[in-house]
Amino acid sequence: MSAFSIDRVTDAPLELGVFAHFAEEQSAKDVYGDFLDLFAHAEQLGFGYAWLRQFHLQDAQGRRAGGLPSPFVFLAALAQRTTTLRLGTAAVTLPLESPLRVAEDAAVLDILSGGRVELGIANGGGIPGLADAYGQRLSDDLGKRRADHLRALDALIAALDGEPVNEAGQILSPTTPGITDRIWQATLSDTSAFEAAGRGHGVLVGTTQTIPGEVTTAAYFRGLPEGVTPRVAVSTLIYPAVDRETGLREAEAGILKKWEWGKDFLPAANTLEEIAASLNIHYGTAEQITESIASHPSFQHTTHLQVQVELLYDSFARRHDALELFVSDVAPALGWVPPAERAAVQAAESDLAAADAGFAGASR
């Protein structure tokens, strides 16, 4: 394998997840079942997290950016198919929701899954007509909209922490301890990442956003209080192929479709290769994908890789194959340690510490 540097600024272990938009052209009935199978397979391979993006509605022509409006419902079904997989929302659009209802749904899911919820939330909902459809009113002033979002976030956290939600002193039912230690914020700017870090939250960083991912992740580390474990999840779109030229050719239709969506706010590009780079797609052989991810400026801050196998694939079978390749040939080269191996090391370290303590006691 070619020599390249794996340079991360944190000692936190690298975690793997699978991230999905559900932006498929097939029927929801088929797609939901296919993704349940994909996530269940990911758990068997050693992935630790499932991350789901929430999208609402479609236009009159049936076009949509994603196809999952109810992530808690899907994750409840996934909880029954899995035992260790962490169940993440990436993310719930809080301005379109009642914070108390989000708290209730998260609490129920956390109980059903044995404490596996990772609660990602996002500001947003500014698409014309969307907030009105859900009975919400968003300010035209972006500063006020941000302040309103943070107040809703505070209300969500307070409810999850068991604080009274009304003057009668009523509290959330059911309650589930510890979930506020598992809150993540989808961040599109260095300012929001810095603020999320100050709260001790994790951050969810997209593959394509107006502010480069490395700017956002660096700001997060600047804002992180001393002693707080960093949580930086970065979306990572991959497409394995026998070589980069073949990968571009096979994935061309999906690349151009995604480019049509993002070309107005992403770095300019002309050739297909330039477009793939602007979209942060990692493609080619396992070695080429590894080097592409490792050389991306945001990787040095990454603690969680959210692997995407969407948009570019002609079948779910190829997505399963891609995840298998990633776990066997890419992730270990990036510094990921499989859960079983990590547990064995931790057990050995614990046994050694206990033996040292016993020896010290016997020598007194």
Side-chain angles (χ1 to χ4, degrees):
M1 183 172 275
S2 301
F4 53 87
S5 174
I6 302 295
D7 184 19
R8 295 171 64 231
V9 301
T10 173
D11 294 330
L14 184 65
E15 304 284 357
L16 296 186
V18 177
F19 175 76
H21 286 85
F22 293 76
E24 312 295 326
E25 295 182 355
Q26 300 97 318
S27 70
K29 179 182 178 181
D30 293 334
V31 168
Y32 292 170
D34 286 338
F35 271 111
L36 284 172
D37 292 341
L38 187 72
F39 284 123
H41 185 204
E43 180 187 66
Q44 295 170 1
L45 293 172
F47 283 85
Y49 292 74
W51 293 102
L52 312 182
R53 178 78 183 273
Q54 181 187 50
F55 285 98
H56 290 292
L57 307 183
Q58 59 188 347
D59 67 17
Q61 288 72 45
R63 293 173 301 201
R64 61 185 189 275
L68 187 68
S70 305
F72 292 113
V73 177
F74 184 93
L75 289 172
L78 184 58
Q80 301 304 303
R81 296 275 303 270
T82 56
T83 57
T84 62
L85 196 68
R86 309 295 301 174
L87 308 173
T89 58
V92 173
T93 308
L94 197 56
L96 301 180
E97 307 277 354
S98 157
L100 184 55
R101 285 290 299 117
V102 173
E104 289 176 329
D105 284 346
V108 170
L109 177 60
D110 206 46
I111 290 172
L112 289 174
S113 65
R116 289 189 276 149
V117 168
E118 301 289 330
L119 183 56
I121 59 90
N123 197 355
I127 298 174
L130 185 58
D132 291 340
Y134 288 92
Q136 304 290 346
R137 187 64 60 88
L138 303 184
S139 174
D140 293 330
D141 181 88
L142 293 181
K144 185 178 184 305
R145 189 182 299 180
R146 173 70 179 167
D148 290 341
H149 168 67
L150 292 177
R151 278 193 293 271
L153 176 59
D154 288 337
L156 170 64
I157 293 171
L160 289 168
D161 279 339
E163 296 182 20
V165 299
N166 56 26
E167 294 182 356
Q170 292 177 303
I171 64 172
L172 185 70
S173 176
T175 58
T176 177
I179 196 170
T180 51
D181 295 329
R182 291 174 266 136
I183 288 180
W184 303 69
Q185 294 190 46
T187 52
L188 295 178
S189 71
D190 49 349
T191 300
S192 59
F194 187 88
E195 291 176 352
R199 290 171 172 260
H201 295 166
V203 289
L204 305 166
V205 182
T207 302
T208 50
Q209 52 187 53
T210 53
I211 303 297
E214 61 269 22
V215 175
T216 302
T217 57
Y220 175 83
F221 272 83
R222 289 197 304 272
L224 198 68
E226 185 176 354
V228 176
T229 301
R231 291 180 291 142
V232 179
V234 178
S235 296
T236 308
L237 179 56
I238 66 167
Y239 187 80
V242 295
D243 53 49
R244 289 177 64 84
E245 292 75 17
T246 301
L248 280 178
R249 185 175 66 253
E250 291 179 349
E252 181 176 4
I255 292 171
L256 293 179
K257 182 177 181 180
K258 188 171 178 65
W259 181 242
E260 187 64 28
W261 164 79
K263 65 183 181 181
D264 292 334
F265 63 86
L266 292 173
N270 295 306
T271 68
L272 189 61
E273 184 175 2
E274 290 173 348
I275 291 171
S278 187
L279 292 170
N280 284 320
I281 300 172
H282 307 283
Y283 60 98
T285 65
E287 179 182 351
Q288 289 167 334
I289 291 172
T290 303
E291 186 164 4
S292 178
I293 293 171
S295 63
H296 194 279
S298 65
F299 182 69
Q300 63 177 320
H301 302 116
T302 300
T303 64
H304 294 63
L305 280 176
Q306 297 179 316
V307 179
Q308 286 182 264
V309 285
E310 293 185 291
L311 306 172
L312 313 177
Y313 294 78
D314 58 12
S315 71
F316 268 85
R318 291 198 64 176
R319 303 183 201 209
H320 286 264
D321 292 343
L323 294 183
E324 290 182 3
L325 178 93
F326 193 87
V327 164
S328 64
D329 294 355
V330 177
L334 293 171
W336 174 73
V337 178
E341 184 178 333
R342 193 186 309 171
V345 170
Q346 292 172 344
E349 291 175 346
S350 178
D351 290 344
L352 181 60
D356 288 344
F359 177 78
S363 63
R364 289 194 184 100

